Amino acid sequence: MLEVSAIGKTFHAGTPNEVSALRDVSFNLSEGSFLIIIGTNGSGKSTLLNAVAGTFPLDRGSVTLSGHDITKWPEHRRAKLIGRVFQNPYSGTAPNMTIAENLSMAARRGLRRGLAWAIPRALRSELRDRVRTLNMGLEDRLDNDIGTLSGGQRQALTLLMASWLKPDLLLLDEHTAALDPKSADQVIRLTNEIIKRDKLTTLMVTHSMQQAVRLGDRLIMMNRGSILHDIQGAEKARARPEDLLQRFEDVRRREQLDAPVAEMLRKAYV
Amino acid sequence: MTLLLGASTVGLILALLALGVYLSFRIFNFPDITADGSITLGAAVTASLLVMNWPPALATLAGFFAGALAGAATGLLNAKFRINGLLSGILVMTALYSINLHVMGKSNLPLLEETTLVTQSESFFGMLFGPGDVQVFGWEVDQRDAAALCLAAAMVAGVGMILYLFFRTEFGTAMRAAGDNPQMIRALGGSVDFILIFGLAVSNGLIALSGSLLAQYQGFADVQMGIGMVVWGLASVIIGEALVGSKSTGIVITGAIMGSLLFRLIVAIALRWGLDPNDLKLITAVFVFLALVVPGALTALRSRAGRAR
Ligand SMILES: Nc1ncnc2c1ncn2[C@@H]1O[C@H](COP(=O)(O)OP(=O)(O)OP(=O)(O)O)[C@@H](O)[C@H]1O
Ligand SMILES: [Mg+2]
């Protein structure tokens, strides 16, 4: 389904700010699987999702999705196969356009956009029905600008938009991180429902250990641009928040150890 | 009366410019300076073709497409070569100055004997109402003035309507979204580059159409006629927004047309009262500056007053 083979990305190569955000990351994801990605800040989680979505060209490696080698595809072309929700609630919707207009664009994700009416009557009633399933009362506010909504409402709508036409792959990048706990719960519940209902193949980044253990059927932990752990099947089902925290702690200790050692070596040899 | 009529006609013709500027500045947030060159380009292309005895409708259409090409060039520089938007416009505008001179063959091209859209609508008026002056609400109005005004009004109404309908199509909606949040439309499969290039083409096509009509109305094309036109269009859009006080596209389009009309009338009256025409561009620039700064300053002042209390 999704094959990520040895992809690498270095930002600001050849400058003092050089960062190897991805170092030969490889994994395969089978159809319908729901992969959770965790890792410390700056470990490359967002970069991995962006690499799959095509936000920037890769330095090395290839990405194959649904039998297409999409490595060279520009972002907007990949959108035919990929639905996306961003961390920032402002990123996924056009604030000065109405709910209906925003959704109507999602109804044509990856399709040709011509001179047909954006919101024909049939679509309008479908919009109302689908928005009603969010249980947020937004079905009566279809002509309000999205900019007037709360972050939680926007993320719920973005989620609906990303999954309006069933995507081959759904990308969620800490899409509840900017929300208050109550809205976050609501959006997570909705996420789970949609993924289960449509059997969506999903990559989801999260910082919440609760979400990481409760959701998904596979979990990878990233560190410094590589995959450190890959937990699947029964082991994933058994995992508890404390186990994951323990693994973070291990990473931290190893790195603390690494730093003095590196310093010592530098002093000795440079 | 003739003064007001003439001012209204020019106001309506320049409303096309305002609509073009609205598209680039407001829809895309793109400070497109190409306008100064493309309005002259439209005038130059149409005038040269009219001198070669092309049918006026075709010559006008050619002016539109020439402007569209110029806008596409600016969009290409920005989207494909990643040149800063302002600079892209400046480059194309500068190039257009030479191109316009080549198109016209000299710096001023008069249209004395040529058949234009204006002379055509004048003869159409003559057929409808017979020769001589036309009565409008009891006023005697010169037939040419009345015909030109109706022509300009019809063109603007048509273009405004098409634009309004366009913004409600799938592609038009995507265009507004590309300006509002490019990241979002990209994630939904829209090519922001293509949309921008197309949008700037339409914008400059409209601006060139405005120049084409202006040349036919005033009876000449001049290589200098575009100077400061961006600011002029922007002023109209700003006045329009203040007039209608709404952001919904249909209303803003109407507002921009009204803004252009009103602005031109104010200018005509001010000139009549003895304003030095040389000061016109300075005053326009200061006006746009104030319109851009004052609303923000007022909000800041109000919130400070609110905190003080
Ligand atoms: N566009 C970019 N330009 C330069 N550096 C970047 C860019 N995107 C990411 N980086 C760098 O790459 C590294 C990985 O960043 P990334 O955003 O993938 O981390 P993350 O795991 O998502 O972190 P967080 O949990 O904070 O979201 C960081 O050091 C970051 O500064
Ligand atoms: Mg991130």
Side-chain angles (χ1 to χ4, degrees):
Chain A
M1 182 68 193
L2 173 68
E3 287 165 40
V4 174
S5 336
I7 59 171
K9 180 72 190 177
T10 304
F11 290 111
H12 310 298
T15 72
N17 296 330
E18 184 171 296
V19 206
S20 291
L22 290 177
R23 308 173 195 236
D24 297 319
V25 172
S26 299
F27 65 92
N28 285 349
L29 202 59
S30 49
E31 185 158 1
S33 68
F34 182 177
L35 173 66
I36 304 285
I37 304 171
I38 59 174
T40 48
N41 291 113
S43 56
K45 307 179 298 291
S46 299
T47 308
L48 175 59
L49 256 60
N50 288 337
V52 173
T55 312
F56 47 72
L58 289 171
D59 296 341
R60 301 175 292 283
S62 68
V63 180
T64 309
L65 177 57
S66 304
H68 307 280
D69 181 354
I70 60 171
T71 315
K72 295 259 147 47
W73 288 19
E75 189 177 359
H76 65 88
R77 186 163 170 215
R78 297 189 196 193
K80 195 173 174 59
L81 307 173
I82 298 176
R84 238 185 139 180
V85 184
F86 303 90
Q87 172 170 359
N88 186 339
Y90 294 93
S91 298
T93 48
N96 295 308
M97 299 175 72
T98 66
I99 296 180
E101 285 169 336
N102 272 276
L103 291 171
S104 77
M105 282 181 274
R108 297 205 65 79
R109 175 171 55 76
L111 302 176
R112 223 180 63 83
R113 292 183 168 87
L115 294 180
W117 292 134
I119 313 177
R121 200 175 294 271
L123 179 63
R124 208 176 158 85
S125 62
E126 192 190 351
L127 290 181
R128 195 178 297 276
D129 293 342
R130 289 237 217 163
V131 171
R132 190 173 287 123
T133 62
L134 299 179
N135 275 325
M136 290 178 160
L138 295 176
E139 61 275 12
D140 301 321
R141 298 173 59 185
L142 289 180
D143 292 318
N144 290 22
D145 282 357
I146 289 232
T148 62
L149 304 184
S150 74
Q153 291 171 327
R154 282 179 174 213
Q155 285 305 65
L157 283 172
T158 310
L159 194 61
L160 189 63
M161 286 165 63
S163 59
W164 192 278
L165 303 175
K166 185 173 180 285
D168 289 22
L169 179 67
L170 180 64
L171 299 179
L172 308 170
D173 189 358
E174 296 190 48
H175 65 306
T176 61
L179 307 180
D180 63 79
K182 192 159 158 278
S183 311
D185 276 349
Q186 202 173 6
V187 170
I188 280 298
R189 211 175 322 121
L190 190 68
T191 306
N192 210 17
E193 269 170 32
I194 290 177
I195 292 173
K196 287 252 169 63
R197 187 192 63 209
D198 293 345
K199 302 186 180 59
L200 297 179
T201 314
T202 306
L203 289 186
M204 170 171 154
V205 176
T206 182
H207 267 142
S208 151
M209 293 306 121
Q210 270 72 29
Q211 290 177 13
V213 295
R214 259 186 30 227
L215 303 175
D217 48 30
R218 179 175 170 189
L219 180 145
I220 61 180
M221 182 168 161
M222 294 196 62
N223 186 45
R224 296 176 168 223
S226 323
I227 297 180
L228 196 61
H229 299 292
D230 186 344
I231 308 173
Q232 320 190 23
E235 195 186 356
K236 164 71 177 77
R238 269 202 316 273
R240 290 169 309 147
E242 302 81 71
D243 306 334
L244 299 180
L245 288 172
Q246 183 59 45
R247 297 199 188 210
F248 273 109
E249 184 61 21
D250 290 346
V251 170
R252 200 178 59 82
R253 223 170 315 126
R254 186 148 14 116
E255 264 168 20
Q256 261 176 359
L257 206 68
D258 276 358
V261 171
E263 182 64 9
M264 207 178 69
L265 290 173
R266 200 181 61 82
K267 281 222 178 83
Y269 293 100
V270 181
Chain B
M1 192 59 205
T2 311
L3 174 82
L4 289 186
L5 218 60
S8 305
T9 308
V10 175
L12 285 174
I13 290 175
L14 291 180
L16 294 170
L17 161 77
L19 290 178
V21 169
Y22 163 70
L23 195 60
S24 53
F25 272 74
R26 283 296 191 246
I27 298 281
F28 285 112
N29 240 321
F30 189 105
D32 183 17
I33 308 293
T34 320
D36 277 21
S38 52
I39 192 167
T40 315
L41 180 65
V45 167
T46 301
S48 325
L49 292 177
L50 287 175
V51 170
M52 289 159 58
N53 287 321
W54 274 46
L58 275 185
T60 307
L61 206 64
F64 171 86
F65 280 111
L69 223 56
T74 302
L76 216 63
L77 289 184
N78 178 246
K80 295 293 180 211
F81 296 98
R82 301 284 157 212
I83 297 175
N84 165 287
L86 202 54
L87 188 55
S88 305
I90 291 174
L91 289 178
V92 174
M93 178 192 75
T94 307
L96 281 179
Y97 193 84
S98 301
I99 292 174
N100 290 334
L101 276 172
H102 274 295
V103 169
M104 294 198 286
K106 48 189 171 180
S107 62
N108 187 297
L109 193 59
L111 298 169
L112 299 175
E113 304 294 314
E114 279 73 20
T115 310
T116 66
L117 281 183
V118 175
T119 61
Q120 279 184 335
S121 51
E122 192 183 346
S123 21
F124 182 65
F125 250 61
M127 268 164 32
L128 281 184
F129 303 108
D133 286 357
V134 191
Q135 294 276 346
V136 182
F137 305 122
W139 271 307
E140 293 279 304
V141 176
D142 180 62
Q143 196 161 64
R144 181 178 187 277
D145 289 346
L149 182 67
C150 289
L151 172 71
M155 290 290 271
V156 170
V159 167
M161 187 55 111
I162 291 173
L163 213 53
Y164 170 69
L165 294 176
F166 170 71
F167 281 130
R168 301 182 56 180
T169 63
E170 290 165 359
F171 188 63
T173 311
M175 186 177 282
R176 282 162 55 213
D180 205 12
N181 183 354
Q183 186 179 21
M184 169 257 199
I185 195 69
R186 224 178 268 128
L188 293 178
S191 163
V192 174
D193 290 353
F194 174 76
I195 296 176
L196 177 76
I197 293 169
F198 187 91
L200 289 185
V202 173
S203 159
N204 283 284
L206 292 180
I207 293 168
L209 182 62
S210 174
S212 161
L213 289 180
L214 195 61
Q216 298 180 64
Y217 175 67
Q218 62 191 14
F220 64 87
D222 190 286
V223 76
Q224 306 271 5
M225 67 192 273
I227 296 176
M229 279 302 183
V230 177
V231 180
W232 190 282
L234 200 53
S236 307
V237 172
I238 291 172
I239 294 181
E241 283 171 346
L243 278 179
V244 297
S246 159
K247 275 190 183 165
S248 113
T249 17
I251 299 178
V252 173
I253 287 174
T254 321
I257 296 172
M258 282 162 39
S260 174
L261 198 58
L262 187 66
F263 191 44
R264 191 68 213 191
L265 285 172
I266 294 173
V267 167
I269 292 168
L271 288 176
R272 189 59 174 276
W273 278 353
L275 175 76
D276 182 349
N278 289 338
D279 291 339
L280 201 55
K281 290 206 199 304
L282 175 64
I283 291 173
T284 311
V286 170
F287 168 78
V288 170
F289 166 75
L290 290 177
L292 292 175
V293 172
V294 168
L298 276 183
T299 324
L301 224 84
R302 222 174 284 139
S303 69
R304 200 176 312 155
R307 243 178 291 133
R309 238 184 289 126

